[in-house]
Amino acid sequence: MTVEKDTREIKDREGTDHIDAMRPDDLRLEKFLPYRLSVLSNRVSNAIAQAYGARFDLTIPAWRVMAILGRFPNLSAADLVEQTAMDKVAISRAVSILIKNDYITRSEDPADRRRQVLNLSEIGRDVYDRIVPLAQQYENDLMASLSDDERSQLDSIIEKLMSRAQDWANRGLID
């Protein structure tokens, strides 16, 4: 029994083509689902960011914070970390920029004076209301490449994968 070697052409730094034999245990990054999801997310986010970034002086993390606060007001920075699955540093930077630009406000939680809550300011709400239709147009255009049945399947698959990923977060990854 012979094993066929999978080969691919790669270019080195000088642009010279080489044939590189893949070992059976090599990670095919271009087929690795977490990588593909990350690339897709980055491409979509970057495309949408081009529509709002320069116009409103917003980064992708800052817009994500605004999008969450637009739907769920009175959240703490820790709540935003949980909602967005972004790291604390990215949330902290985004919040600082948004406060500096008067897009969000920070105030004491009346129910727990130790807790600070964040909300869209009047200016932030106006920006949010202007960006949401742009984001929805991009989503509609992206989803137009799928049939109604494929959209339904995609939604179901994403929900299953999100649930499994949340299980990992709750109990730790499998060793």
Side-chain angles (χ1 to χ4, degrees):
M1 181 168 116
T2 63
V3 177
E4 289 183 37
K5 288 189 177 182
D6 187 9
T7 61
R8 58 195 158 109
E9 287 189 24
I10 59 171
K11 292 188 185 280
D12 63 20
R13 289 181 186 202
E14 289 78 38
T16 306
D17 289 332
H18 295 277
I19 302 294
D20 183 30
M22 291 182 63
R23 298 181 310 265
D25 60 342
D26 281 347
L27 176 65
R28 294 179 185 219
L29 199 55
E30 70 280 3
K31 294 293 184 186
F32 186 58
L33 182 63
Y35 174 79
R36 293 170 71 196
L37 291 173
S38 176
V39 169
L40 175 62
S41 174
N42 289 339
R43 287 186 179 159
V44 171
S45 293
N46 289 333
I48 296 170
Q50 288 178 1
Y52 66 71
R55 190 176 345 173
F56 300 107
D57 192 28
L58 287 172
T59 62
I60 292 169
W63 165 243
R64 287 183 182 161
V65 166
M66 287 184 67
I68 294 295
L69 291 176
R71 179 125 161 75
F72 305 103
N74 296 313
L75 295 180
S76 68
D79 295 333
L80 287 168
V81 168
E82 179 67 27
Q83 285 282 326
T84 62
M86 292 167 44
D87 65 73
K88 292 176 186 178
V89 173
I91 292 291
S92 178
R93 280 192 202 123
V95 166
S96 293
I97 290 167
L98 291 168
I99 288 173
K100 181 180 149 224
N101 291 341
D102 295 323
Y103 287 167
I104 66 172
T105 61
R106 182 182 354 232
S107 59
E108 190 177 272
D109 184 348
D112 181 354
R113 298 182 72 175
R114 296 169 295 168
R115 185 174 183 256
Q116 298 284 305
V117 294
L118 303 165
N119 285 289
L120 293 178
S121 66
E122 193 173 315
I123 294 168
R125 174 57 65 179
D126 179 61
V127 169
Y128 172 85
D129 289 343
R130 292 166 64 191
I131 294 175
V132 166
L134 293 172
Q136 289 171 330
Q137 284 177 334
Y138 277 93
E139 179 190 32
N140 291 340
D141 185 66
L142 184 65
M143 297 301 281
S145 64
L146 303 176
S147 69
D148 288 343
D149 189 45
E150 288 170 328
R151 286 181 212 158
S152 178
Q153 289 174 0
L154 177 62
D155 188 53
S156 176
I157 290 166
I158 289 173
E159 289 299 321
K160 287 179 181 180
L161 294 175
M162 293 283 284
S163 177
R164 178 59 57 99
Q166 187 60 53
D167 286 348
W168 286 354
N170 293 342
R171 62 180 168 77
L173 285 172
I174 301 167
D175 290 329

mmCIF file of all heavy atoms in Angstrom, residues 48-96:
data_model
loop_
_atom_site.group_PDB
_atom_site.id
_atom_site.type_symbol
_atom_site.label_atom_id
_atom_site.label_comp_id
_atom_site.label_asym_id
_atom_site.label_seq_id
_atom_site.Cartn_x
_atom_site.Cartn_y
_atom_site.Cartn_z
ATOM 1 N N ILE A 48 -16.640 46.265 6.691
ATOM 2 C CA ILE A 48 -17.628 47.142 7.322
ATOM 3 C C ILE A 48 -16.935 48.340 7.960
ATOM 4 O O ILE A 48 -17.413 49.471 7.873
ATOM 5 C CB ILE A 48 -18.485 46.367 8.349
ATOM 6 C CG1 ILE A 48 -19.306 45.283 7.635
ATOM 7 C CG2 ILE A 48 -19.415 47.317 9.107
ATOM 8 C CD1 ILE A 48 -19.991 44.312 8.564
ATOM 9 N N ALA A 49 -15.772 48.087 8.573
ATOM 10 C CA ALA A 49 -15.025 49.174 9.218
ATOM 11 C C ALA A 49 -14.617 50.251 8.219
ATOM 12 O O ALA A 49 -14.530 51.430 8.576
ATOM 13 C CB ALA A 49 -13.802 48.623 9.937
ATOM 14 N N GLN A 50 -14.379 49.866 6.977
ATOM 15 C CA GLN A 50 -14.047 50.864 5.964
ATOM 16 C C GLN A 50 -15.213 51.827 5.744
ATOM 17 O O GLN A 50 -15.003 52.979 5.398
ATOM 18 C CB GLN A 50 -13.657 50.197 4.645
ATOM 19 C CG GLN A 50 -12.301 49.536 4.699
ATOM 20 C CD GLN A 50 -11.941 48.845 3.399
ATOM 21 O OE1 GLN A 50 -12.686 48.852 2.432
ATOM 22 N NE2 GLN A 50 -10.769 48.226 3.380
ATOM 23 N N ALA A 51 -16.424 51.335 5.955
ATOM 24 C CA ALA A 51 -17.604 52.180 5.748
ATOM 25 C C ALA A 51 -17.796 53.178 6.890
ATOM 26 O O ALA A 51 -18.325 54.264 6.679
ATOM 27 C CB ALA A 51 -18.851 51.312 5.608
ATOM 28 N N TYR A 52 -17.382 52.814 8.102
ATOM 29 C CA TYR A 52 -17.617 53.714 9.240
ATOM 30 C C TYR A 52 -16.350 54.232 9.913
ATOM 31 O O TYR A 52 -16.385 55.241 10.599
ATOM 32 C CB TYR A 52 -18.508 53.049 10.293
ATOM 33 C CG TYR A 52 -17.897 51.857 10.994
ATOM 34 C CD1 TYR A 52 -16.866 51.998 11.909
ATOM 35 C CD2 TYR A 52 -18.361 50.577 10.742
ATOM 36 C CE1 TYR A 52 -16.302 50.909 12.540
ATOM 37 C CE2 TYR A 52 -17.807 49.483 11.379
ATOM 38 C CZ TYR A 52 -16.774 49.656 12.274
ATOM 39 O OH TYR A 52 -16.218 48.582 12.905
ATOM 40 N N GLY A 53 -15.258 53.543 9.766
ATOM 41 C CA GLY A 53 -14.044 53.853 10.518
ATOM 42 C C GLY A 53 -13.579 55.285 10.417
ATOM 43 O O GLY A 53 -13.513 56.006 11.413
ATOM 44 N N ALA A 54 -13.260 55.716 9.226
ATOM 45 C CA ALA A 54 -12.732 57.074 9.047
ATOM 46 C C ALA A 54 -13.805 58.125 9.303
ATOM 47 O O ALA A 54 -13.530 59.166 9.891
ATOM 48 C CB ALA A 54 -12.167 57.223 7.636
ATOM 49 N N ARG A 55 -15.012 57.852 8.860
ATOM 50 C CA ARG A 55 -16.096 58.829 9.001
ATOM 51 C C ARG A 55 -16.401 59.134 10.462
ATOM 52 O O ARG A 55 -16.702 60.265 10.817
ATOM 53 C CB ARG A 55 -17.354 58.308 8.306
ATOM 54 C CG ARG A 55 -18.425 59.347 8.198
ATOM 55 C CD ARG A 55 -19.659 58.937 7.445
ATOM 56 N NE ARG A 55 -19.545 57.733 6.638
ATOM 57 C CZ ARG A 55 -20.570 57.171 6.039
ATOM 58 N NH1 ARG A 55 -21.770 57.681 6.133
ATOM 59 N NH2 ARG A 55 -20.410 56.078 5.320
ATOM 60 N N PHE A 56 -16.328 58.123 11.323
ATOM 61 C CA PHE A 56 -16.695 58.313 12.727
ATOM 62 C C PHE A 56 -15.519 58.122 13.682
ATOM 63 O O PHE A 56 -15.711 58.094 14.897
ATOM 64 C CB PHE A 56 -17.837 57.366 13.100
ATOM 65 C CG PHE A 56 -19.082 57.575 12.296
ATOM 66 C CD1 PHE A 56 -19.453 56.663 11.319
ATOM 67 C CD2 PHE A 56 -19.867 58.698 12.489
ATOM 68 C CE1 PHE A 56 -20.604 56.856 10.570
ATOM 69 C CE2 PHE A 56 -21.019 58.897 11.742
ATOM 70 C CZ PHE A 56 -21.381 57.976 10.774
ATOM 71 N N ASP A 57 -14.319 57.944 13.151
ATOM 72 C CA ASP A 57 -13.117 57.755 13.961
ATOM 73 C C ASP A 57 -13.292 56.591 14.934
ATOM 74 O O ASP A 57 -13.093 56.732 16.139
ATOM 75 C CB ASP A 57 -12.756 59.048 14.698
ATOM 76 C CG ASP A 57 -11.361 58.990 15.316
ATOM 77 O OD1 ASP A 57 -10.501 58.260 14.775
ATOM 78 O OD2 ASP A 57 -11.151 59.661 16.343
ATOM 79 N N LEU A 58 -13.688 55.444 14.390
ATOM 80 C CA LEU A 58 -13.938 54.258 15.206
ATOM 81 C C LEU A 58 -13.089 53.086 14.746
ATOM 82 O O LEU A 58 -12.949 52.837 13.551
ATOM 83 C CB LEU A 58 -15.405 53.833 15.099
ATOM 84 C CG LEU A 58 -16.442 54.671 15.808
ATOM 85 C CD1 LEU A 58 -17.840 54.215 15.443
ATOM 86 C CD2 LEU A 58 -16.244 54.601 17.303
ATOM 87 N N THR A 59 -12.556 52.366 15.698
ATOM 88 C CA THR A 59 -11.881 51.105 15.427
ATOM 89 C C THR A 59 -12.922 49.991 15.485
ATOM 90 O O THR A 59 -14.055 50.192 15.962
ATOM 91 C CB THR A 59 -10.804 50.830 16.482
ATOM 92 O OG1 THR A 59 -11.452 50.717 17.767
ATOM 93 C CG2 THR A 59 -9.750 51.929 16.503
ATOM 94 N N ILE A 60 -12.545 48.810 15.043
ATOM 95 C CA ILE A 60 -13.461 47.665 15.116
ATOM 96 C C ILE A 60 -13.843 47.374 16.569
ATOM 97 O O ILE A 60 -15.037 47.222 16.869
ATOM 98 C CB ILE A 60 -12.862 46.432 14.400
ATOM 99 C CG1 ILE A 60 -12.808 46.693 12.888
ATOM 100 C CG2 ILE A 60 -13.667 45.173 14.706
ATOM 101 C CD1 ILE A 60 -12.006 45.667 12.101
ATOM 102 N N PRO A 61 -12.887 47.308 17.504
ATOM 103 C CA PRO A 61 -13.288 47.062 18.896
ATOM 104 C C PRO A 61 -14.212 48.157 19.451
ATOM 105 O O PRO A 61 -15.158 47.854 20.177
ATOM 106 C CB PRO A 61 -11.968 47.017 19.659
ATOM 107 C CG PRO A 61 -10.949 46.647 18.641
ATOM 108 C CD PRO A 61 -11.420 47.274 17.362
ATOM 109 N N ALA A 62 -13.947 49.421 19.094
ATOM 110 C CA ALA A 62 -14.803 50.505 19.583
ATOM 111 C C ALA A 62 -16.218 50.353 19.037
ATOM 112 O O ALA A 62 -17.196 50.538 19.767
ATOM 113 C CB ALA A 62 -14.217 51.862 19.204
ATOM 114 N N TRP A 63 -16.336 50.014 17.757
ATOM 115 C CA TRP A 63 -17.678 49.812 17.196
ATOM 116 C C TRP A 63 -18.376 48.637 17.875
ATOM 117 O O TRP A 63 -19.565 48.697 18.168
ATOM 118 C CB TRP A 63 -17.640 49.608 15.679
ATOM 119 C CG TRP A 63 -18.938 49.060 15.181
ATOM 120 C CD1 TRP A 63 -19.161 47.863 14.583
ATOM 121 C CD2 TRP A 63 -20.242 49.675 15.301
ATOM 122 N NE1 TRP A 63 -20.487 47.680 14.325
ATOM 123 C CE2 TRP A 63 -21.180 48.784 14.753
ATOM 124 C CE3 TRP A 63 -20.689 50.874 15.828
ATOM 125 C CZ2 TRP A 63 -22.547 49.068 14.709
ATOM 126 C CZ3 TRP A 63 -22.048 51.155 15.780
ATOM 127 C CH2 TRP A 63 -22.961 50.260 15.227
ATOM 128 N N ARG A 64 -17.658 47.565 18.154
ATOM 129 C CA ARG A 64 -18.279 46.414 18.819
ATOM 130 C C ARG A 64 -18.816 46.811 20.192
ATOM 131 O O ARG A 64 -19.906 46.397 20.576
ATOM 132 C CB ARG A 64 -17.293 45.256 18.927
ATOM 133 C CG ARG A 64 -17.051 44.600 17.588
ATOM 134 C CD ARG A 64 -16.137 43.413 17.672
ATOM 135 N NE ARG A 64 -15.927 42.872 16.339
ATOM 136 C CZ ARG A 64 -14.928 42.090 16.008
ATOM 137 N NH1 ARG A 64 -14.047 41.718 16.920
ATOM 138 N NH2 ARG A 64 -14.798 41.642 14.778
ATOM 139 N N VAL A 65 -18.060 47.617 20.918
ATOM 140 C CA VAL A 65 -18.529 48.103 22.220
ATOM 141 C C VAL A 65 -19.806 48.926 22.027
ATOM 142 O O VAL A 65 -20.798 48.735 22.742
ATOM 143 C CB VAL A 65 -17.436 48.924 22.931
ATOM 144 C CG1 VAL A 65 -18.003 49.706 24.114
ATOM 145 C CG2 VAL A 65 -16.305 47.999 23.397
ATOM 146 N N MET A 66 -19.789 49.824 21.047
ATOM 147 C CA MET A 66 -20.978 50.646 20.798
ATOM 148 C C MET A 66 -22.172 49.785 20.384
ATOM 149 O O MET A 66 -23.299 50.035 20.818
ATOM 150 C CB MET A 66 -20.694 51.696 19.715
ATOM 151 C CG MET A 66 -19.799 52.814 20.194
ATOM 152 S SD MET A 66 -19.585 54.093 18.942
ATOM 153 C CE MET A 66 -21.245 54.779 18.859
ATOM 154 N N ALA A 67 -21.921 48.784 19.553
ATOM 155 C CA ALA A 67 -23.014 47.915 19.090
ATOM 156 C C ALA A 67 -23.649 47.171 20.257
ATOM 157 O O ALA A 67 -24.886 47.066 20.339
ATOM 158 C CB ALA A 67 -22.495 46.934 18.039
ATOM 159 N N ILE A 68 -22.829 46.687 21.180
ATOM 160 C CA ILE A 68 -23.363 45.984 22.349
ATOM 161 C C ILE A 68 -24.134 46.962 23.240
ATOM 162 O O ILE A 68 -25.244 46.670 23.687
ATOM 163 C CB ILE A 68 -22.235 45.288 23.142
ATOM 164 C CG1 ILE A 68 -21.607 44.167 22.320
ATOM 165 C CG2 ILE A 68 -22.746 44.763 24.483
ATOM 166 C CD1 ILE A 68 -22.514 43.000 22.000
ATOM 167 N N LEU A 69 -23.539 48.135 23.490
ATOM 168 C CA LEU A 69 -24.219 49.117 24.350
ATOM 169 C C LEU A 69 -25.487 49.652 23.701
ATOM 170 O O LEU A 69 -26.438 50.025 24.406
ATOM 171 C CB LEU A 69 -23.279 50.275 24.698
ATOM 172 C CG LEU A 69 -22.120 49.926 25.625
ATOM 173 C CD1 LEU A 69 -21.203 51.131 25.804
ATOM 174 C CD2 LEU A 69 -22.629 49.429 26.975
ATOM 175 N N GLY A 70 -25.535 49.681 22.390
ATOM 176 C CA GLY A 70 -26.742 50.107 21.699
ATOM 177 C C GLY A 70 -27.895 49.147 21.927
ATOM 178 O O GLY A 70 -29.061 49.542 21.957
ATOM 179 N N ARG A 71 -27.573 47.904 22.085
ATOM 180 C CA ARG A 71 -28.606 46.873 22.317
ATOM 181 C C ARG A 71 -28.829 46.593 23.799
ATOM 182 O O ARG A 71 -29.927 46.295 24.217
ATOM 183 C CB ARG A 71 -28.168 45.601 21.609
ATOM 184 C CG ARG A 71 -29.088 44.442 21.772
ATOM 185 C CD ARG A 71 -29.544 43.873 20.460
ATOM 186 N NE ARG A 71 -30.054 42.526 20.578
ATOM 187 C CZ ARG A 71 -31.240 42.234 21.101
ATOM 188 N NH1 ARG A 71 -32.013 43.175 21.561
ATOM 189 N NH2 ARG A 71 -31.642 40.982 21.170
ATOM 190 N N PHE A 72 -27.735 46.670 24.579
ATOM 191 C CA PHE A 72 -27.793 46.335 25.999
ATOM 192 C C PHE A 72 -27.161 47.459 26.822
ATOM 193 O O PHE A 72 -25.966 47.411 27.121
ATOM 194 C CB PHE A 72 -27.050 45.023 26.288
ATOM 195 C CG PHE A 72 -27.524 43.858 25.473
ATOM 196 C CD1 PHE A 72 -26.781 43.410 24.382
ATOM 197 C CD2 PHE A 72 -28.711 43.217 25.774
ATOM 198 C CE1 PHE A 72 -27.200 42.335 23.628
ATOM 199 C CE2 PHE A 72 -29.152 42.133 25.015
ATOM 200 C CZ PHE A 72 -28.394 41.692 23.936
ATOM 201 N N PRO A 73 -27.919 48.469 27.204
ATOM 202 C CA PRO A 73 -27.342 49.576 27.985
ATOM 203 C C PRO A 73 -26.985 49.146 29.412
ATOM 204 O O PRO A 73 -27.325 48.052 29.853
ATOM 205 C CB PRO A 73 -28.451 50.623 27.984
ATOM 206 C CG PRO A 73 -29.696 49.903 27.620
ATOM 207 C CD PRO A 73 -29.314 48.655 26.887
ATOM 208 N N ASN A 74 -26.285 50.048 30.096
ATOM 209 C CA ASN A 74 -25.925 49.865 31.511
ATOM 210 C C ASN A 74 -25.049 48.648 31.767
ATOM 211 O O ASN A 74 -25.256 47.921 32.739
ATOM 212 C CB ASN A 74 -27.176 49.795 32.395
ATOM 213 C CG ASN A 74 -27.940 51.085 32.379
ATOM 214 O OD1 ASN A 74 -27.363 52.162 32.529
ATOM 215 N ND2 ASN A 74 -29.244 51.001 32.178
ATOM 216 N N LEU A 75 -24.055 48.440 30.910
ATOM 217 C CA LEU A 75 -23.132 47.326 31.105
ATOM 218 C C LEU A 75 -21.817 47.838 31.681
ATOM 219 O O LEU A 75 -21.397 48.960 31.404
ATOM 220 C CB LEU A 75 -22.846 46.620 29.778
ATOM 221 C CG LEU A 75 -24.016 45.906 29.110
ATOM 222 C CD1 LEU A 75 -23.553 45.254 27.811
ATOM 223 C CD2 LEU A 75 -24.640 44.874 30.033
ATOM 224 N N SER A 76 -21.179 46.994 32.442
ATOM 225 C CA SER A 76 -19.833 47.306 32.934
ATOM 226 C C SER A 76 -18.823 46.847 31.882
ATOM 227 O O SER A 76 -19.168 46.115 30.942
ATOM 228 C CB SER A 76 -19.574 46.568 34.243
ATOM 229 O OG SER A 76 -19.485 45.172 34.005
ATOM 230 N N ALA A 77 -17.572 47.230 32.070
ATOM 231 C CA ALA A 77 -16.518 46.769 31.165
ATOM 232 C C ALA A 77 -16.413 45.242 31.224
ATOM 233 O O ALA A 77 -16.212 44.592 30.193
ATOM 234 C CB ALA A 77 -15.195 47.425 31.521
ATOM 235 N N ALA A 78 -16.565 44.670 32.398
ATOM 236 C CA ALA A 78 -16.525 43.207 32.534
ATOM 237 C C ALA A 78 -17.673 42.558 31.755
ATOM 238 O O ALA A 78 -17.489 41.503 31.136
ATOM 239 C CB ALA A 78 -16.584 42.801 34.003
ATOM 240 N N ASP A 79 -18.846 43.181 31.775
ATOM 241 C CA ASP A 79 -19.975 42.673 30.995
ATOM 242 C C ASP A 79 -19.644 42.695 29.500
ATOM 243 O O ASP A 79 -20.012 41.777 28.759
ATOM 244 C CB ASP A 79 -21.231 43.519 31.227
ATOM 245 C CG ASP A 79 -21.760 43.440 32.648
ATOM 246 O OD1 ASP A 79 -21.541 42.417 33.331
ATOM 247 O OD2 ASP A 79 -22.398 44.435 33.083
ATOM 248 N N LEU A 80 -18.970 43.760 29.064
ATOM 249 C CA LEU A 80 -18.594 43.873 27.654
ATOM 250 C C LEU A 80 -17.604 42.786 27.257
ATOM 251 O O LEU A 80 -17.694 42.235 26.151
ATOM 252 C CB LEU A 80 -18.009 45.249 27.363
ATOM 253 C CG LEU A 80 -19.011 46.395 27.349
ATOM 254 C CD1 LEU A 80 -18.294 47.738 27.350
ATOM 255 C CD2 LEU A 80 -19.948 46.284 26.155
ATOM 256 N N VAL A 81 -16.672 42.475 28.148
ATOM 257 C CA VAL A 81 -15.727 41.394 27.887
ATOM 258 C C VAL A 81 -16.500 40.103 27.653
ATOM 259 O O VAL A 81 -16.236 39.361 26.703
ATOM 260 C CB VAL A 81 -14.707 41.243 29.041
ATOM 261 C CG1 VAL A 81 -13.912 39.945 28.922
ATOM 262 C CG2 VAL A 81 -13.778 42.442 29.098
ATOM 263 N N GLU A 82 -17.467 39.842 28.509
ATOM 264 C CA GLU A 82 -18.281 38.623 28.398
ATOM 265 C C GLU A 82 -19.102 38.620 27.104
ATOM 266 O O GLU A 82 -19.159 37.628 26.393
ATOM 267 C CB GLU A 82 -19.203 38.506 29.619
ATOM 268 C CG GLU A 82 -20.116 37.301 29.593
ATOM 269 C CD GLU A 82 -19.371 35.981 29.720
ATOM 270 O OE1 GLU A 82 -18.285 35.951 30.311
ATOM 271 O OE2 GLU A 82 -19.900 34.977 29.207
ATOM 272 N N GLN A 83 -19.754 39.719 26.796
ATOM 273 C CA GLN A 83 -20.623 39.810 25.614
ATOM 274 C C GLN A 83 -19.856 39.685 24.303
ATOM 275 O O GLN A 83 -20.356 39.091 23.353
ATOM 276 C CB GLN A 83 -21.379 41.140 25.614
ATOM 277 C CG GLN A 83 -22.515 41.217 26.587
ATOM 278 C CD GLN A 83 -23.746 40.484 26.083
ATOM 279 O OE1 GLN A 83 -24.025 40.443 24.898
ATOM 280 N NE2 GLN A 83 -24.477 39.895 27.001
ATOM 281 N N THR A 84 -18.668 40.289 24.234
ATOM 282 C CA THR A 84 -17.933 40.355 22.978
ATOM 283 C C THR A 84 -16.890 39.265 22.814
ATOM 284 O O THR A 84 -16.389 39.063 21.712
ATOM 285 C CB THR A 84 -17.207 41.709 22.843
ATOM 286 O OG1 THR A 84 -16.255 41.821 23.903
ATOM 287 C CG2 THR A 84 -18.170 42.868 22.864
ATOM 288 N N ALA A 85 -16.527 38.605 23.904
ATOM 289 C CA ALA A 85 -15.424 37.633 23.918
ATOM 290 C C ALA A 85 -14.104 38.295 23.520
ATOM 291 O O ALA A 85 -13.192 37.643 23.031
ATOM 292 C CB ALA A 85 -15.728 36.421 23.028
ATOM 293 N N MET A 86 -14.011 39.600 23.718
ATOM 294 C CA MET A 86 -12.759 40.331 23.483
ATOM 295 C C MET A 86 -11.987 40.386 24.800
ATOM 296 O O MET A 86 -12.575 40.268 25.871
ATOM 297 C CB MET A 86 -13.060 41.747 22.980
ATOM 298 C CG MET A 86 -13.674 41.772 21.590
ATOM 299 S SD MET A 86 -14.389 43.366 21.087
ATOM 300 C CE MET A 86 -13.199 44.554 21.593
ATOM 301 N N ASP A 87 -10.681 40.592 24.712
ATOM 302 C CA ASP A 87 -9.908 40.641 25.942
ATOM 303 C C ASP A 87 -10.089 41.978 26.654
ATOM 304 O O ASP A 87 -10.505 42.966 26.057
ATOM 305 C CB ASP A 87 -8.425 40.329 25.688
ATOM 306 C CG ASP A 87 -7.745 41.362 24.821
ATOM 307 O OD1 ASP A 87 -7.488 42.474 25.313
ATOM 308 O OD2 ASP A 87 -7.469 41.055 23.656
ATOM 309 N N LYS A 88 -9.749 41.974 27.927
ATOM 310 C CA LYS A 88 -9.946 43.148 28.780
ATOM 311 C C LYS A 88 -9.189 44.372 28.274
ATOM 312 O O LYS A 88 -9.690 45.488 28.350
ATOM 313 C CB LYS A 88 -9.500 42.845 30.214
ATOM 314 C CG LYS A 88 -10.366 41.843 30.912
ATOM 315 C CD LYS A 88 -9.802 41.521 32.294
ATOM 316 C CE LYS A 88 -10.592 40.410 32.935
ATOM 317 N NZ LYS A 88 -10.058 40.033 34.238
ATOM 318 N N VAL A 89 -7.997 44.161 27.757
ATOM 319 C CA VAL A 89 -7.192 45.284 27.278
ATOM 320 C C VAL A 89 -7.863 45.957 26.083
ATOM 321 O O VAL A 89 -7.937 47.184 26.011
ATOM 322 C CB VAL A 89 -5.752 44.819 26.933
ATOM 323 C CG1 VAL A 89 -4.959 45.932 26.282
ATOM 324 C CG2 VAL A 89 -5.050 44.304 28.175
ATOM 325 N N ALA A 90 -8.362 45.158 25.149
ATOM 326 C CA ALA A 90 -9.038 45.720 23.967
ATOM 327 C C ALA A 90 -10.288 46.486 24.380
ATOM 328 O O ALA A 90 -10.559 47.578 23.856
ATOM 329 C CB ALA A 90 -9.393 44.612 22.975
ATOM 330 N N ILE A 91 -11.038 45.940 25.331
ATOM 331 C CA ILE A 91 -12.240 46.623 25.825
ATOM 332 C C ILE A 91 -11.849 47.920 26.515
ATOM 333 O O ILE A 91 -12.446 48.977 26.276
ATOM 334 C CB ILE A 91 -13.043 45.717 26.786
ATOM 335 C CG1 ILE A 91 -13.650 44.543 26.025
ATOM 336 C CG2 ILE A 91 -14.108 46.509 27.531
ATOM 337 C CD1 ILE A 91 -14.750 44.891 25.054
ATOM 338 N N SER A 92 -10.831 47.869 27.344
ATOM 339 C CA SER A 92 -10.388 49.054 28.077
ATOM 340 C C SER A 92 -9.965 50.170 27.119
ATOM 341 O O SER A 92 -10.344 51.332 27.294
ATOM 342 C CB SER A 92 -9.234 48.681 29.007
ATOM 343 O OG SER A 92 -8.769 49.812 29.690
ATOM 344 N N ARG A 93 -9.183 49.814 26.099
ATOM 345 C CA ARG A 93 -8.761 50.811 25.107
ATOM 346 C C ARG A 93 -9.957 51.396 24.369
ATOM 347 O O ARG A 93 -10.048 52.610 24.165
ATOM 348 C CB ARG A 93 -7.809 50.175 24.091
ATOM 349 C CG ARG A 93 -6.411 50.056 24.575
ATOM 350 C CD ARG A 93 -5.487 49.684 23.407
ATOM 351 N NE ARG A 93 -4.279 49.082 23.932
ATOM 352 C CZ ARG A 93 -3.822 47.886 23.611
ATOM 353 N NH1 ARG A 93 -4.467 47.140 22.744
ATOM 354 N NH2 ARG A 93 -2.723 47.422 24.152
ATOM 355 N N ALA A 94 -10.861 50.518 23.944
ATOM 356 C CA ALA A 94 -12.040 50.975 23.203
ATOM 357 C C ALA A 94 -12.895 51.897 24.063
ATOM 358 O O ALA A 94 -13.339 52.954 23.603
ATOM 359 C CB ALA A 94 -12.862 49.773 22.726
ATOM 360 N N VAL A 95 -13.113 51.529 25.311
ATOM 361 C CA VAL A 95 -13.909 52.355 26.219
ATOM 362 C C VAL A 95 -13.250 53.718 26.417
ATOM 363 O O VAL A 95 -13.917 54.759 26.367
ATOM 364 C CB VAL A 95 -14.142 51.629 27.567
ATOM 365 C CG1 VAL A 95 -14.650 52.584 28.639
ATOM 366 C CG2 VAL A 95 -15.112 50.465 27.373
ATOM 367 N N SER A 96 -11.943 53.726 26.609
ATOM 368 C CA SER A 96 -11.226 54.999 26.793
ATOM 369 C C SER A 96 -11.395 55.915 25.589
ATOM 370 O O SER A 96 -11.663 57.115 25.731
ATOM 371 C CB SER A 96 -9.735 54.745 27.035
ATOM 372 O OG SER A 96 -9.552 54.100 28.258
#
